Amino acid sequence: MKRSKPTNSANHSSPPNSVVHSREDLRALQRTMTSALFRPLDTRWGMQKTWADGRPTREVAAEFIKPNDRLSSFERLEIYNRQYWFRVLDCLHDDYPGLRAILGAKKFTQLATGYLAKYPSNSFTLRNLGERLEEFIREEPGRTAPHEPLAVDMVQFEWAQTVAFDGPSKRPITADDILGKAPDQLTLGLQPYLSLLSLNYAVDDFLVAVKRRDEDALRGEASNAIHSAPRASRRKPVRRPKKRQIFLAVHRYENQVYSKRLEPEEYQILAALARGETVAAACETAIAQTAKTDLDWTETVKNWFDTWTALGWFCLPQ
Amino acid sequence: MPANEFNGFTDYGIGIGLRVPHYRHILAEKPVVDWFEIISENFMVDGGRPLEVLDEILEQYRVVQHGVAIYFGSADHLDKTHLKKLKRLVRRTNTPWLSDHLCWGSIDGRYTHDLLPMPYTFGVAKHTAEKIKAARDYLEVPICVENVSSYAEYHASEMTEWEFLSEVVELADCGILLDVNNIYVSSKNHSFNPYDYLDNIPHHRVGQVHIAGHSKFEKYLLDTHDHPVLDPVWKMYAHAMKSVGNTATLLEWDDRIPTFNEVHREALKANKFRQSLVAAK
């Protein structure tokens, strides 16, 4: 096989990234390329004309990307810059239909762009892309105003569904595991895929209504395939929910994702168990705080535990 | 080569990519398919439906793992957590070989989720080959690296893409997943003769072949995997099969995915070229 001779062109006058022999040269080139890709697109879905240091981006691109007979260095780099943003925005678009419905397509895209510019992906899988979205919404409430509390609730609910879909599970406890243990000595773990949410809006009903309207929630495949620009929604908006406290358990059963409304006392017991309190302490605290006096609490709590056990929510504590 | 050390001495036929829209059809109808290729990262999860589906598929079919995120070409070291999860999946699937791309896509722990081209230099080839060897030693399975489609070239490159590919696989002593469509796309974008590429790689290292569709834009081609395979790519495939032998072939179709039967029909067109090879012997 014919091979070109390596050229030793490294010298101090070489433009940055024009010579890549060592691993550190490669790192420098890859950092430059990544910086280019992570820069948000301009309002016409093109690459920004000015680099971070104020130089024209075409100058920076020309330092390390070859032009060809049809495309400049800038245009060739722009293909990758566009495809990066189309890919990640498409992913958030698919994973957060509820948040998108709350904000509208334009504001959602602006939020997602700001989020990814601040928190680029640090995971090999796009599944984790929205992991810090709640944190970002809390940090920059102006991006979701005047719907920040609703947006926070929705993003918690939608992330909980990702966790429930393919999060880890532990062996559910059996009667043998807790045999002979008194309630004031017994602690129980909760499945890692189970999320307990205390919310100020009925985002579960809202998301059902959104999904009923919007059928295209299929998760994109990880692949080399190129994606298109984020789609604009022309569908009729779903009315945003009014403020109303709800408690939810987001979980999976037989590998299907569900959300289950909880009574306030149910939530308190489960949250206390998650904190490591004993079964007796968790129940006593919850019942002591309730204003409902006309219930047979012994029977009610027993039924709850039966249901939670049947759903496989309990595991051995850490 | 039909069976070689780089594909675990298997002799697989025509495979198709396992994709979510087809799960229901495959599990219910159990169509006859030589093998399925899975995207490893889609199943490197801790639980839930993906692994349940995979286990059902494994009961009926042969599965080969194809990855998109090892990033052999990144200046970063191999991600041990990633490899640990990958090895767990390798044990689950018993994949006879494993493929990923000759590319990079992350640096300093930040991910672009893209398959970005390498600068084609001897230093980079050496670094990349060392990572491939280390991954193979850890995963204990043969590795084939796939050539990617690209839209840009670096000033730093000091050889052609096929010379770089050859350099890497010789240094790493690994296999090649020859993506014929990617060669065609890159040949148009970078103005080289795709047959020079096909003729100047170590054919005995090809353990698997990919074919796919692409999209034509005014000034460049995009590797979209959302169309049937185009005629120039079929011609290249026929040429490649004469050089590398009757090698396991997979059709990729990742976007605007049609029915399972349509994808399968398109994949089986490859049999025409494979059978003519057999007849010629």
Side-chain angles (χ1 to χ4, degrees):
Chain A
M1 181 192 329
K2 290 178 187 172
R3 288 185 186 165
S4 311
K5 281 186 178 176
T7 52
N8 187 12
S9 53
N11 61 58
H12 295 297
S13 62
S14 301
N17 302 312
S18 64
V19 176
V20 181
H21 289 160
S22 69
R23 200 159 73 96
E24 286 318 303
D25 292 341
L26 181 62
R27 182 178 299 283
L29 174 73
Q30 293 179 343
R31 281 179 174 160
T32 304
M33 182 89 169
T34 305
S35 298
L37 266 57
F38 285 170
R39 285 170 67 75
L41 301 173
D42 64 19
T43 51
R44 293 190 298 178
W45 299 107
M47 190 157 72
Q48 292 186 42
K49 302 288 186 290
T50 307
W51 192 247
D53 62 6
R55 282 186 295 159
T57 305
R58 65 181 153 74
E59 266 183 27
V60 178
E63 285 174 354
F64 69 106
I65 300 285
K66 281 184 194 172
N68 68 7
D69 56 347
R70 288 152 286 159
L71 294 166
S72 66
S73 303
F74 179 97
E75 289 168 323
R76 298 183 104 183
L77 186 58
E78 186 180 47
I79 295 171
Y80 285 103
N81 185 208
R82 284 163 55 87
Q83 295 316 316
Y84 167 74
W85 281 100
F86 294 167
R87 180 176 289 109
V88 290
L89 291 176
D90 199 40
C91 177
L92 291 180
H93 178 280
D94 284 349
D95 285 355
Y96 293 89
L99 184 60
R100 181 160 42 90
I102 290 167
L103 299 177
K106 187 177 174 187
K107 204 164 176 176
F108 175 82
T109 302
Q110 289 170 342
L111 172 77
T113 303
Y115 165 64
L116 292 166
K118 187 168 182 179
Y119 295 119
S121 172
N122 61 5
S123 167
F124 70 86
T125 168
L126 284 165
R127 178 257 194 210
N128 294 332
L129 199 60
E131 195 168 15
R132 301 182 74 177
L133 190 50
E134 179 193 346
E135 180 184 344
F136 180 72
I137 290 172
R138 290 185 191 278
E139 284 170 353
E140 302 196 16
R143 290 180 180 274
T144 52
H147 305 296
E148 190 233 342
L150 174 58
V152 168
D153 277 11
M154 180 56 82
V155 80
Q156 287 185 74
F157 180 51
E158 293 191 306
W159 174 251
Q161 291 179 71
T162 300
V163 173
F165 177 70
D166 59 11
S169 62
K170 294 183 174 177
R171 181 179 65 79
I173 59 161
T174 63
D176 286 346
D177 292 324
I178 56 175
L179 196 66
K181 289 187 179 164
D184 60 352
Q185 299 291 319
L186 178 62
T187 57
L188 298 170
L190 297 182
Q191 290 288 358
Y193 60 74
L194 170 68
S195 297
L196 301 171
L197 303 176
S198 168
L199 304 171
N200 294 308
Y201 296 88
V203 290
D204 52 347
D205 290 343
F206 178 72
L207 187 57
V208 168
V210 169
K211 284 189 172 175
R212 206 170 277 158
R213 182 204 62 178
D214 189 355
E215 298 286 338
D216 66 348
L218 275 177
R219 182 180 295 267
E221 290 283 330
S223 78
N224 197 16
I226 297 298
H227 294 248
S228 55
R231 294 150 280 180
S233 172
R234 291 179 188 165
R235 297 182 176 90
K236 189 179 172 186
V238 178
R239 188 186 295 271
R240 294 185 190 93
K242 290 183 178 163
K243 197 166 182 180
R244 175 164 71 96
Q245 189 168 38
I246 63 163
F247 299 93
L248 286 177
V250 183
H251 67 112
R252 68 171 178 253
Y253 182 68
E254 294 182 343
N255 286 327
Q256 298 295 317
V257 174
Y258 296 95
S259 63
K260 177 176 165 50
R261 286 276 181 105
L262 302 173
E263 294 296 327
E265 296 82 4
E266 279 187 283
Y267 173 84
Q268 285 169 7
I269 292 171
L270 288 165
L273 292 174
R275 290 193 298 270
E277 292 184 22
T278 64
V279 170
C283 294
E284 281 164 17
T285 308
I287 306 308
Q289 291 174 355
T290 186
K292 299 171 194 165
T293 54
D294 55 343
L295 276 178
D296 178 349
W297 280 108
T298 306
E299 186 63 18
T300 301
V301 171
K302 179 185 174 303
N303 287 341
W304 286 343
F305 270 87
D306 286 347
T307 301
W308 301 334
T309 305
L311 290 171
W313 289 1
F314 294 130
C315 54
L316 293 174
Q318 290 282 11
Chain B
M1 299 298 124
N4 60 32
E5 62 184 295
F6 308 111
N7 57 30
F9 298 103
T10 58
D11 201 0
Y12 283 15
I14 307 290
I16 60 176
L18 183 66
R19 300 292 179 261
V20 174
H22 296 155
Y23 283 179
R24 188 169 296 185
H25 176 89
I26 296 165
L27 296 176
E29 304 297 326
K30 299 184 172 46
V32 176
V33 179
D34 289 347
W35 56 287
F36 281 110
E37 185 185 80
I38 62 166
I39 302 293
S40 298
E41 285 75 10
N42 289 355
F43 299 93
M44 287 161 60
V45 294
D46 296 311
R49 179 75 176 143
L51 294 179
E52 182 186 34
V53 169
L54 178 60
D55 288 342
E56 287 182 50
I57 294 288
L58 286 168
E59 283 176 14
Q60 303 279 336
Y61 298 99
R62 301 183 294 195
V63 164
V64 176
Q65 284 181 225
H66 177 56
V68 294
I70 295 183
Y71 297 139
F72 292 122
S74 167
D76 286 348
H77 291 293
L78 288 166
D79 180 341
K80 287 180 182 169
T81 308
H82 185 100
L83 285 185
K84 202 172 166 184
K85 289 185 175 198
L86 191 55
K87 187 163 188 174
R88 203 165 62 189
L89 188 64
V90 165
R91 285 179 172 157
R92 194 178 198 116
T93 64
N94 276 318
T95 185
W97 75 95
L98 175 149
S99 61
D100 205 311
H101 299 81
L102 186 55
C103 75
W104 69 282
S106 70
I107 189 70
D108 303 323
R110 297 193 304 171
Y111 288 75
T112 67
H113 301 285
D114 203 346
L115 307 172
L116 301 170
M118 308 286 304
Y120 307 134
T121 76
F122 288 94
V124 172
K126 184 167 177 283
H127 162 73
T128 305
E130 283 166 2
K131 287 180 70 175
I132 295 169
K133 282 194 285 188
R136 183 187 55 217
D137 291 348
Y138 178 78
L139 296 169
E140 299 177 296
V141 66
I143 288 179
C144 291
V145 290
E146 178 183 351
N147 55 295
V148 298
S149 54
S150 62
Y151 316 105
E153 303 162 289
Y154 302 104
H155 288 302
S157 289
E158 49 194 31
M159 62 183 102
T160 64
E161 184 186 331
W162 56 93
E163 287 170 333
F164 181 75
L165 171 65
S166 303
E167 182 77 8
V168 169
V169 297
E170 294 290 355
L171 287 172
D173 191 18
C174 71
I176 296 173
L177 194 177
L178 189 66
D179 191 314
V180 177
N181 179 62
N182 285 351
I183 293 173
Y184 182 76
V185 168
S186 294
S187 76
K188 293 297 172 190
N189 290 339
H190 308 315
S191 304
F192 64 78
N193 181 347
Y195 290 90
D196 284 346
Y197 198 130
L198 289 177
D199 291 342
N200 286 289
I201 54 168
H203 297 131
H204 67 284
R205 292 188 178 276
V206 176
Q208 186 191 334
V209 175
H210 268 177
I211 46 176
H214 59 263
S215 297
K216 196 170 184 180
F217 288 75
E218 189 186 343
K219 294 182 179 177
Y220 56 94
L221 300 187
L222 272 180
D223 182 28
T224 45
H225 296 186
D226 63 351
H227 284 79
V229 181
L230 299 178
D231 283 344
V233 177
W234 280 126
K235 282 180 189 162
M236 285 175 61
Y237 176 71
H239 184 90
M241 293 305 270
K242 283 178 192 160
S243 306
V244 305
N246 200 356
T247 305
T249 298
L250 178 117
L251 171 72
E252 294 182 296
W253 202 317
D254 296 317
D255 211 354
R256 297 179 193 162
I257 300 174
T259 63
F260 176 85
N261 287 332
E262 194 174 331
V263 174
H264 199 197
R265 260 198 310 276
E266 182 68 13
L268 291 176
K269 286 182 189 172
N271 267 333
K272 184 172 71 175
F273 303 100
R274 294 162 56 85
Q275 283 159 0
S276 66
L277 277 178
V278 174
K281 282 184 180 174

